[in-house]
Amino acid sequence: MRTWLDFLLYDWLKVERLCERSRFEDHGRETFSQVLDTCERIARDKYAPFNRLVDTQEPHFDGERVTLPQATHEAWAAYAGSGMLAAAQDFALGGMQLPYTVEAAANAFFAKASVSINAGLLTVGNANLLMAHGTPLQQQVFAHREFKGEWAGTMCLSEPQAGSGLADVATRAVPDGEGHADDPLGPRYRLFGNKMWISAGEHELTENIVHLVLAKIPGPDGKLVAGTRGISLFICPKHMVNAQGQMTGERNDVALAGLNHKCGWRGTTNTLLNFGEGRWQPGGAAGAVAYLVGQPGQGLACMFHMMNEARIAIGMAATMLGMAGYEASLAYAKDRKQGRLLSQKDPASPPVALIEHADVKRMLLAQKAYSEGALALMLYCARLVDEQHTGTPEAAAEAALLLEVLTPIAKSWPSEWCLEANSLAIQVHGGYGYTRDFPVEQYWRDNRLNMIHEGTHGIQALDLLGRKVVMQGGAGLKLLATRINQTLEAALQHPDLAVYANGLAQAVQRLGAATKAAWATGQPEDALANATLYLQAAGHVVLAWVWLDLALAASSAPEDRQAGVRAAARYFHVYELPKVYPWLEVVAARESVCRDMQPDWF
């Protein structure tokens, strides 16, 4: 994987050019390589050997404490000690001022080694949200300690009765008595409610946990405002702290009701948290003490800062699980002797390695195309983040717009197709793949969560077709088409790539036409009934573009690298890209069977 990362970073994305910008001028390929080397080593030593352990020794709750394997504690300590929690932060905060592209590449090692040994995904996202929307004191007390790894963070959105329907959030935030508006940590409230499926919601890896909680402030009539416009965002620490960031020794009224036992990601606690049940009474009263972030009613807008970051991180997690399965099945296919080539007529001849069979090569090529292509997409999105933060005003605006369009694809496409890669990895292993003697069944179980994580597949589809490709008069989709056309023009100059460029051009045209046809009536019910098919098609078009661009970048690479990239690009364009046409036909026709189907007909 390291050679592929280096190719993507240096040959394709030209990440060294970022060092020409003042924020990154202290860096170069040498420092980038040092970060990658360090993370690769920690992942190899502290994560990978314990991936099966954390799957079989799930977190245990005895009614008082959650117990995690010692390996998880050691992994957290190593990760926090590496400085990666603050990798992108200012030097003044103890950060590295590292480009996000390099940070994302470095974190890929941990996702591949053991995705469910929490590597700080939520903690970093939590702290970054506070750096964007919190007050200076909230940043100092909470975010800065998260960047140091002293405290951990969560995001508390979903509730048992609402799931992804955040409009129906019922957690209440009640002003906490006289002077509540003047608390130095922010307007002070008491929370009452329940939050479900909260990853890392309870543990003892750190001395405190900073919960970011969505809740509604009752109106003058005591009722909660309906819909999402009534949602506010709050900081709710597990242990009470003062304005200097020191823990007071008092436990906040946040109680673990129980752990969810999952198909995969078993090493990470997944919790039901009760806020304000009265088990602990800070200040002598029930209710979880919490501090308002931003303005009342603007909580969801603030939370999207963390949600979008988490969506890209989940896309990376799905990608690396696909990569892990691909590497495992590739090694198995090279080693396992089974069957004979069709040209071998003598039944007494020795069996050949699995990798000699064309259908096994098909399954390996699919995994390579899915996982390596997905990693390229994730790092491309990370490069857009760097451009958004440090580029010229015009380049930053374009990067932000393109990232808006690509984020639902970056989250969902790896979650679907790298899961398929894991399924193919099991298939390559045959009967052995379905046993726990080999790791590929765990990779599949771990990856199955990612189509649900951080906004389900269907929600990403509604976001893409319902918002992202039509916002600003379709400016985002036009910008994507412009970027693709730049690659097409370059590819047309290479006779061996021209056929793929022409095929991709037709697919881009069909995607644009289907977008217009879906919205021809102006009715969301018509346009969005087949949004998931649109998401799949758009994702495949984007990945076909990525692979064509990678093939161009590999033109000057060593022969083996160039041949491997060209073969994967050819596979994707021949086997995968044609799938978009039947998907888009359904979208363009505004097929209504799924909408028309009545519950009684099932």
Side-chain angles (χ1 to χ4, degrees), residues 21 287 311 408-409 445 577:
R21 302 178 182 182
R311 284 171 175 172
I409 294 172
R445 285 188 291 105
L577 187 58

Side-chain angles (χ1 to χ4, degrees), residues 212-392:
L212 285 177
V213 187
L214 293 184
K216 292 183 177 181
I217 302 169
D221 59 359
K223 296 181 180 179
L224 301 181
V225 177
T228 59
R229 63 188 177 88
I231 296 176
S232 300
L233 179 63
F234 299 88
I235 300 169
C236 183
K238 173 182 173 180
H239 296 285
M240 298 297 297
V241 301
N242 60 26
Q244 290 72 48
Q246 301 163 328
M247 291 196 294
T248 65
E250 193 171 24
R251 177 73 184 264
N252 205 357
D253 194 8
V254 184
L256 175 63
L259 299 176
N260 296 306
H261 300 282
K262 300 167 295 177
C263 172
W265 281 69
R266 291 176 175 175
T268 301
T269 55
N270 190 270
T271 63
L272 169 59
L273 298 178
N274 293 341
F275 293 82
E277 71 172 21
R279 180 174 182 182
W280 290 280
Q281 300 199 356
V289 177
Y291 308 98
L292 181 69
V293 178
Q295 297 300 311
Q298 298 299 309
L300 198 55
C302 293
M303 186 58 92
F304 265 112
H305 186 103
M306 185 175 181
M307 290 168 66
N308 284 331
E309 189 172 322
R311 284 171 175 172
I312 292 177
I314 290 302
M316 180 63 86
T319 295
M320 300 319 298
L321 284 164
M323 186 75 75
Y326 165 53
E327 290 186 1
S329 61
L330 177 60
Y332 183 83
K334 289 180 176 179
D335 183 66
R336 171 75 171 179
K337 303 295 192 296
Q338 185 174 311
R340 290 159 184 82
L341 299 179
L342 296 177
S343 59
Q344 289 179 274
K345 305 301 183 182
D346 183 3
S349 61
V352 298
L354 282 174
I355 201 167
E356 298 293 338
H357 300 292
D359 196 56
V360 174
K361 291 180 184 179
R362 175 190 63 82
M363 291 187 283
L364 292 170
L365 261 173
Q367 292 178 69
K368 179 181 177 68
Y370 297 154
S371 59
E372 291 186 354
L375 182 55
L377 172 63
M378 303 316 300
L379 293 182
Y380 182 84
C381 289
R383 182 63 182 78
L384 290 176
V385 172
D386 284 324
E387 197 65 29
Q388 184 181 355
H389 290 163
T390 64
T392 64

Side-chain angles (χ1 to χ4, degrees), residues 332 336 338 426 429-441:
Y332 183 83
R336 171 75 171 179
Q338 185 174 311
I426 293 174
H429 280 74
Y432 285 117
Y434 204 63
T435 72
R436 293 192 177 185
D437 296 328
F438 289 83
V440 288
E441 60 85 25

